[in-house]
Amino acid sequence: DYVATFVAASGELPGILLMVAIIDRIGRRATMGWGAIICATVCLLLIPCTSYNAETALIWVGRGVASAFFQSMFVYTSELYPVSAQCFTKSPG
């Protein structure tokens, strides 16, 4: 089980690298939209009983896409709601 957990967790690195490669090409909202669709599809594919290797592969893909989805959300949210640097430099009072 530790090997399967390691394999599934290793899917996050390619997911983040894929997100970095495509976020400027297709846009932030499209990256989030396709990430949500692919992640939901992978979750639906996990419902039926599958083999151990197929389940591990689906979880690998799902974790990678979910990681990319959330990273693109962080980028989009910080651009949508920017924080002024002045609010951190003012002294209280």
Side-chain angles (χ1 to χ4, degrees), residues 3-29:
V3 174
T5 303
F6 175 75
V7 169
S10 69
E12 293 184 13
L13 181 63
I16 292 172
L17 294 176
L18 178 68
M19 185 273 306
V20 168
I22 67 170
I23 194 166
D24 286 330
R25 293 177 194 221
I26 67 171
R28 277 91 165 118
R29 291 173 63 182

Side-chain angles (χ1 to χ4, degrees), residues 26-41 65 68-69 72-73 76:
I26 67 171
R28 277 91 165 118
R29 291 173 63 182
T31 304
M32 289 188 301
W34 281 108
I37 290 169
I38 295 170
C39 195
T41 304
V65 171
F69 169 66
S72 63
M73 241 194 311
Y76 183 67

